[in-house]
């Protein structure tokens, strides 16, 4: 069996008003499928890395449509469990200028939120796996999802499979105290953790220097996070900008000893959602290939930059396009 990255989480139906309409004025919605870990799996396949997605979806046409959306990109879906009441939904409104975008969730009692440990045989699901990835959104769903994530981590560690966790704190899903308690049980031994300075302080009590997030503050906090939880590396992105369509973006990776910083990109944004997942996929891809931390963070930041130019949550670019941008071949010229 080929070595694959296994991602675990919830896939949802994403509904977007046309163009820059607001949800309250929309008469129709475009439908796609998305979710943090599903996006990472798709993005890895776009980069040429085999990936499988593990989740639970309802046994109805909507659940099947979500599975089909993944299969289109070559994502393995043999670990998808069928059952439960419904597929979660979220409404995504694009920002414009000084007006920020917003997300409205409709995911209560979703199939994944109702999942049980008995639904997932991790010994089988991790057979042939080279990496396991999930985000803090998954245990935030409540029910038995924290226990399922613990089972997955335990099985991966027992097999020597690297684990990456994107903290991905969502205030609309759970409170900081509960998030910190649950994630503190999941982080120990992780190969890679995605976590910003605000999350470090709010969830784990790791104070960083005051003021706006910076390379120095991140490096200090990441070193403490590594020591506290026995984590191998910590990554995040720095983002600045006052307009919804324009941001400055850079990637940071603390490898346990030093902090590596990518070049800064002036990003023109078509769709911001999924940018962090593209960054995660870029790092996982690079680390699996044995790239240096400095090269890995450059590749990941370029992947995140290009994702922002694509509509929908999935990264519609190739490894060659990402590598070219990471090497400085930008400028938006037409290729003929």
């Amino acid at each position: 069996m080929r070595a694959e990255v296994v991602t675990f989480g919830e896939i949802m139906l994403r509904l977007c008003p046309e163009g820059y309409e607001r949800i309250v004025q929309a008469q129709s919605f475009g439908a796609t499928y998305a979710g943090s870990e599903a996006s990472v799996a798709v993005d890895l396949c776009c980069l040429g890395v085999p990936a499988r997605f593990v989740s639970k979806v309802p046994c109805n046409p909507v659940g099947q449509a979500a599975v089909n959306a993944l299969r289109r990109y070559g994502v393995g879906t043999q670990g998808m469990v069928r059952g439960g009441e419904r597929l979660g939904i979220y409404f995504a409104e694009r920002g414009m200028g000084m007006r920020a975008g917003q997300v409205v969730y409709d995911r209560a009692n979703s199939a994944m939120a109702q999942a049980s440990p008995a639904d997932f045989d991790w010994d089988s699901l991790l057979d042939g796996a080279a990496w396991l990835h999930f985000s803090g959104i998954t245990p935030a769903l409540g029910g038995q999802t924290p226990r399922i994530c613990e089972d997955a981590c335990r099985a991966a560690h027992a097999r020597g499979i690297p684990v990456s966790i994107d903290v991905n704190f969502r205030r609309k899903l759970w409170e900081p105290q509960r998030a910190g308690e649950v994630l503190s049980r999941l982080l120990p031994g992780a190969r890679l953790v995605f976590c910003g300075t605000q999350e470090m302080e709010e969830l784990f009590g790791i104070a960083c220097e005051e003021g706006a997030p910076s390379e120095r503050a991140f490096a200090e906090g990441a070193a403490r996070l590594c020591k506290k939880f026995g984590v191998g590396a910590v990554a995040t992105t720095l983002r600045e900008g006052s307009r919804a369509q324009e941001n400055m973006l850079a990637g940071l990776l603390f490898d346990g000893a030093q902090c590596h910083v990518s070049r800064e990109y002036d990003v023109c944004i078509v769709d911001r959602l999924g940018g962090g997942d593209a960054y995660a996929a870029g790092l996982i891809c690079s680390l699996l290939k044995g790239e240096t931390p400095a090269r890995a963070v450059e590749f990941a930041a370029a992947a995140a930059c290009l994702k922002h130019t694509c509509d929908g949550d999935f990264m519609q670019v190739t490894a060659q396009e990402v590598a070219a941008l990471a090497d400085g071949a930008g400028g938006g010229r037409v290729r003929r």
Side-chain angles (χ1 to χ4, degrees), residues 263-284:
R263 72 186 66 190
E264 189 175 50
Y265 291 97
D266 185 358
V267 183
C268 183
I269 301 173
V270 171
D271 193 332
R272 175 171 171 166
L273 299 181
D277 303 320
Y279 181 69
L283 266 185
I284 294 169

Side-chain angles (χ1 to χ4, degrees), residues 240-283:
E240 296 179 356
S242 59
R243 293 173 58 85
Q245 291 78 33
E246 299 173 6
N247 280 180
M248 299 301 294
L249 180 72
L252 283 75
L253 173 63
F254 181 78
D255 65 6
Q258 68 180 103
C259 187
H260 305 271
V261 185
S262 77
R263 72 186 66 190
E264 189 175 50
Y265 291 97
D266 185 358
V267 183
C268 183
I269 301 173
V270 171
D271 193 332
R272 175 171 171 166
L273 299 181
D277 303 320
Y279 181 69
L283 266 185

Side-chain angles (χ1 to χ4, degrees), residues 1 26 41 73 84 91 107 131 146 162 171-172 200 279 286 301 322:
M1 179 181 291
Y73 295 91
F91 297 83
R107 64 199 304 176
W131 195 284
R171 198 174 300 276
K172 291 183 178 181
M200 291 178 192
Y279 181 69
S286 297
V322 174

Side-chain angles (χ1 to χ4, degrees), residues 2-64:
R2 62 180 183 172
E4 298 173 304
V5 175
V6 174
T7 73
F8 173 59
E10 181 172 38
I11 186 169
M12 295 189 294
L13 172 63
R14 168 180 161 169
L15 298 176
C16 291
E18 294 183 3
Y20 292 95
E21 287 185 343
R22 306 212 69 184
I23 292 172
V24 294
Q25 72 181 118
Q27 300 297 308
S28 62
F29 294 86
T32 55
Y33 295 87
S36 180
E37 299 86 352
S39 293
V40 172
V42 169
D43 295 350
L44 284 165
C45 286
C46 289
L47 296 174
V49 179
R52 276 182 273 153
F53 180 60
V54 176
S55 187
K56 185 172 185 177
V57 297
C59 187
N60 62 31
V62 180
Q64 186 60 48

Side-chain angles (χ1 to χ4, degrees), residues 172-207:
K172 291 183 178 181
L173 296 181
W174 55 354
E175 295 296 323
Q177 181 177 354
R178 175 59 177 164
E181 292 172 355
V182 171
L183 291 169
S184 292
R185 299 198 299 268
L186 298 174
L187 263 56
R191 169 68 177 83
L192 174 63
V193 172
F194 297 87
C195 186
T197 54
Q198 183 175 348
E199 293 169 318
M200 291 178 192
E201 184 166 1
E202 194 168 9
L203 305 187
F204 309 117
I206 298 175

